[in-house]
Amino acid sequence: MAVKTAASDRPILKSKTFLYVTEFFSGMAVMAAELGASRLLAPYFSSSQIVWTIIIGTIMIALALGAVFGGRWADRDPDPDKLYLRIMAAAVWISLIPLVGKFVILLISGLLIVTVSTNFLVIAAFVSCMIVFVPPLFLLGTVTAGLNKFATDSLDDNASVVGRLSACNTIGSILGTFLPTFVTIPAAGTFVTFLLFSGALLAIPLIYFISMKAKVVACAVSAVVFAISSVLSPMTGFAFWENHATLAYEGESIYNYLQVKNLSDRTILSTNVLFGVQSVTMKDQGLTGMYYDTALAAPALADHARSALILGMGTGTYARQIKRYYPKMSVTGVEIDQKITDLAVRYFDEPDDVPVSTYDGRAWLAASHDTYDVIMVDAYQDITIPFQMSSDEFFSMVRRHLNPGGVMVVNMNMISDGEGSINEALQTTIANVFNGACRIGTTYTADVPGTTNRELFAKAPTADETARYDGCDDAWRTTGRIATVSEPFTSTMRRDTTADSLRAVTRERTGDGELAAYMDEVGGRMTPVRDPRIGTDDESLILTDDHAPVELLGMRAIDQLIAEQAGPYREILEKEGIGGLLRAVQ
């Protein structure tokens, strides 16, 4: 039985080729929008698995609803003109995302931050996706059902038509996945990526209507709106409020949004607009005032200060500080983002004698047999904590790459304490690796004043300590219980973390009075980490490769930080309303 629709009256659709081309570009636009969504949201909400889940979930909701309504509309009114108008509207909407989307996200965040007490990140990301991305993707979700209606001449070949349409959509989706990730975003950025793929999609309905000399006004308006967005969008960045006189660079890589600011006393790199500074170089050599200064306790705590490995090199801030104060130390860096390494050379005076490998930190450790006196783990950024670099297996690998008496220092980006906190899980996991049953006191933390950073120091046992206490450690790992030892264990770490000892060792090894005085203050902030399971029945979470819910734990810390910072504004909103809140933020 033949299926008659209005498509038979459209010359451009008689060969059916244009229908398959439409399906191809529709599928490509959907995936490009999804990849673009992750990059648009990342500077504001992070690029964690939680955010990815929200993006995928909301987009699937939009596509599912689109399929349902698209099928109904195609059955009730099989008019291809209406379908191509929906595609045109979706293309124009996507083209406006780089111009308007960031303002919408910030408006939503501003409203929710003073009204939502918990799960801010989840709610804000979900609402942002629903408002910014669901409408155009709902419209694109209607395409397949409509095209199937118009492409089917007979019920005898209906399955073949569905298969061909599905294949075109899938091939388009593949290109819409790979091109943004590996080509357009690294080369031209997220904003241009939205414009490129929305422009390709917009060309389809424009060709369709121009071929029939129909919908001239709609075509003209769509083209003008697209042109305006194409001109204005690249002129504004993610951090549109920044002073462009100090903004030296803004761009993107495969992994990150990147921003370099040239300030009066320092140059800084931010890989996340709203959450701090990731690297810095001081124009006057000296301490940075950031967590790198506290982390300089590691070379003083180690039995020797001859070599260092930095996992999460960034632009080389820690490497520069080590080379300044410990010039005889050899330093090796590992950084997964090649573009950050390029920026380090261009803006941050990265030392020429520090080799940097472009690699994932854990994969690099797995392939290396070298050992070091100091290993810095600086791969955590707000809620974005790579689970594979937070587990018992990872820290065991780090310990194997430490020389006897060597020290691992971990930059934990969020001060978060208490039962069920991300730091409790990280500290317990690290203590489990470095303390074992008997090495109580080999793990210490030091909070960094005026920041949300906490530095954790864990010292590998000396060769003598290993020989004396490995039996006890084996018993712990075999039975999960403390073995009885004949004498109390006193770690060299415990002796070396006193303020007097840190100051003396630092002065002896560096000859720098300023750093030695600062280490005296760092020693006063040192707090021992005790594995909470020792002597108790507490089953604190040990992060493993199989079970490391770092995103959820990190989200709790974000909620805690937001509650502390937004608390006064919430009180103003409750007492004085919107007017009082607006006056307070002016």
Side-chain angles (χ1 to χ4, degrees):
M1 181 179 70
V3 178
K4 298 296 184 181
T5 70
S8 59
D9 300 327
R10 307 295 189 265
I12 196 172
L13 301 183
K14 286 185 177 180
S15 70
K16 305 297 185 293
T17 300
F18 193 74
L19 295 174
Y20 294 121
V21 171
T22 301
E23 183 73 6
F24 171 85
F25 280 98
S26 174
M28 187 168 64
V30 167
M31 291 309 300
E34 183 172 335
L35 269 297
S38 71
R39 299 307 296 264
L40 187 70
L41 296 178
Y44 309 102
F45 303 125
S46 86
S47 58
S48 68
Q49 188 178 21
I50 290 174
V51 174
W52 261 113
T53 299
I54 292 169
I55 292 170
I56 295 171
T58 52
I59 287 176
M60 297 309 291
I61 290 172
L63 293 176
L65 290 174
V68 171
F69 282 90
R72 290 181 181 177
W73 294 338
D75 285 337
R76 293 176 182 175
D77 186 8
D79 184 355
D81 292 3
K82 293 182 178 180
L83 174 64
Y84 281 94
L85 280 174
R86 292 198 294 268
I87 295 174
M88 179 182 290
V92 171
W93 187 295
I94 293 172
S95 74
L96 287 171
I97 288 175
L99 182 63
V100 180
K102 53 185 176 287
F103 298 101
V104 173
I105 292 170
L106 282 180
L107 176 61
I108 292 169
S109 300
L111 293 174
L112 291 177
I113 202 168
V114 294
T115 56
V116 174
S117 300
T118 59
N119 298 323
F120 165 80
L121 184 146
V122 171
I123 296 172
F126 178 77
V127 173
S128 297
C129 279
M130 291 295 292
I131 293 176
V132 176
F133 293 101
V134 164
L137 294 179
F138 166 78
L139 294 175
L140 292 179
T142 69
V143 170
T144 299
L147 293 177
N148 181 55
K149 186 79 169 183
F150 307 140
T152 300
D153 292 322
S154 169
L155 294 179
D156 294 336
D157 67 348
N158 183 58
S160 297
V161 170
V162 171
R164 286 192 291 270
L165 287 171
S166 178
C168 290
N169 185 283
T170 301
I171 295 170
S173 297
I174 292 170
L175 288 178
T177 300
F178 282 92
L179 288 178
T181 300
F182 294 105
V183 180
T184 62
I185 289 177
T190 299
F191 294 170
V192 174
T193 295
F194 275 115
L195 293 169
L196 287 173
F197 286 93
S198 64
L201 181 65
L202 180 60
I204 298 299
L206 289 180
I207 292 172
Y208 173 82
F209 288 117
I210 290 173
S211 70
M212 301 185 303
K213 298 180 181 179
K215 307 294 182 183
V216 176
V217 174
C219 290
V221 171
S222 298
V224 169
V225 172
F226 177 81
I228 291 172
S229 184
S230 298
V231 171
L232 297 181
S233 294
M235 296 173 62
T236 61
F238 284 94
F240 51 87
W241 58 83
E242 292 285 2
N243 181 357
H244 286 270
T246 62
L247 191 62
Y249 174 86
E250 186 179 36
E252 296 174 80
S253 68
I254 292 177
Y255 301 99
N256 292 298
Y257 161 82
L258 303 168
Q259 180 191 101
V260 177
K261 286 196 288 188
N262 187 13
L263 305 179
S264 59
D265 62 337
R266 65 188 66 195
T267 302
I268 61 176
L269 170 73
S270 296
T271 57
N272 189 307
V273 172
L274 297 183
F275 291 97
V277 175
Q278 276 64 56
S279 289
V280 63
T281 183
M282 308 301 295
K283 296 182 178 178
D284 294 328
Q285 291 189 344
L287 297 174
T288 65
M290 297 175 62
Y291 66 87
Y292 306 102
D293 302 342
T294 299
L296 282 173
L301 294 170
D303 285 359
H304 303 282
R306 300 163 300 194
S307 59
L309 171 67
I310 304 172
L311 304 177
M313 180 73 166
T315 63
T317 303
Y318 194 57
R320 282 189 296 276
Q321 294 299 90
I322 288 179
K323 297 300 289 187
R324 167 173 167 72
Y325 294 107
Y326 295 87
K328 294 183 179 180
M329 286 187 74
S330 64
V331 181
T332 301
V334 180
E335 170 57 54
I336 195 171
D337 195 332
Q338 178 63 49
K339 204 157 189 178
I340 289 181
T341 302
D342 296 339
L343 292 176
V345 175
R346 182 177 175 186
Y347 294 103
F348 292 88
D349 301 323
E350 187 167 85
D352 296 333
D353 57 347
V354 175
V356 181
S357 299
T358 304
Y359 229 72
D360 173 81
R362 178 163 175 174
W364 192 93
L365 281 180
S368 173
H369 299 288
D370 296 331
T371 57
Y372 302 87
D373 295 314
V374 173
I375 296 180
M376 168 67 147
V377 179
D378 194 9
Y380 306 161
Q381 179 181 305
D382 54 80
I383 194 176
T384 309
I385 298 177
F387 84 92
Q388 76 275 12
M389 295 184 72
S390 66
S391 65
D392 183 279
E393 293 86 346
F394 168 71
F395 291 117
S396 296
M397 191 180 296
V398 172
R399 177 177 161 177
R400 289 194 296 271
H401 283 78
L402 282 171
N403 292 325
V407 171
M408 175 187 73
V409 53
V410 181
N411 176 40
M412 298 191 294
N413 204 45
M414 294 179 288
I415 295 178
S416 171
D417 292 310
E419 184 177 353
S421 69
I422 180 63
N423 282 351
E424 181 197 52
L426 285 170
Q427 291 168 187
T428 300
T429 301
I430 293 170
N432 182 61
V433 171
F434 281 83
N435 294 7
C438 309
R439 299 186 180 96
I440 302 170
T442 61
T443 309
Y444 279 74
T445 62
D447 290 349
V448 182
T451 75
T452 60
N453 296 89
R454 170 176 293 168
E455 303 307 292
L456 183 145
F457 302 89
K459 186 167 185 177
T462 65
D464 177 63
E465 291 167 351
T466 300
R468 293 169 60 196
Y469 293 102
D470 261 355
C472 178
D473 197 43
D474 290 342
W476 164 264
R477 291 187 175 275
T478 301
T479 67
R481 297 186 179 279
I482 302 296
T484 302
V485 293
S486 58
E487 58 182 299
F489 174 73
T490 303
S491 165
T492 55
M493 180 78 159
R494 177 175 292 175
R495 296 193 299 269
D496 293 344
T497 50
T498 65
D500 290 342
S501 178
L502 268 179
R503 182 178 63 248
V505 173
T506 300
R507 183 178 290 277
E508 177 186 349
R509 292 181 176 179
T510 68
D512 190 284
E514 179 191 21
L515 181 62
Y518 185 77
M519 287 299 109
D520 182 84
E521 192 264 329
V522 170
R525 289 189 265 122
M526 287 281 190
T527 302
V529 175
R530 176 185 173 91
D531 189 326
R533 299 174 307 169
I534 296 177
T536 73
D537 294 327
D538 184 13
E539 296 183 1
S540 297
L541 176 63
I542 300 294
L543 302 174
T544 67
D545 287 347
D546 180 60
H547 184 214
V550 290
E551 289 92 355
L552 290 175
L553 295 173
M555 189 175 66
R556 295 177 190 172
I558 289 288
D559 284 341
Q560 179 182 337
L561 290 172
I562 290 174
E564 293 174 356
Q565 298 297 321
Y569 296 101
R570 289 174 181 166
E571 292 180 5
I572 293 173
L573 180 63
E574 292 175 0
K575 295 178 180 178
E576 303 180 31
I578 295 293
L581 182 62
L582 292 175
R583 289 191 295 271
V585 298
Q586 287 178 350

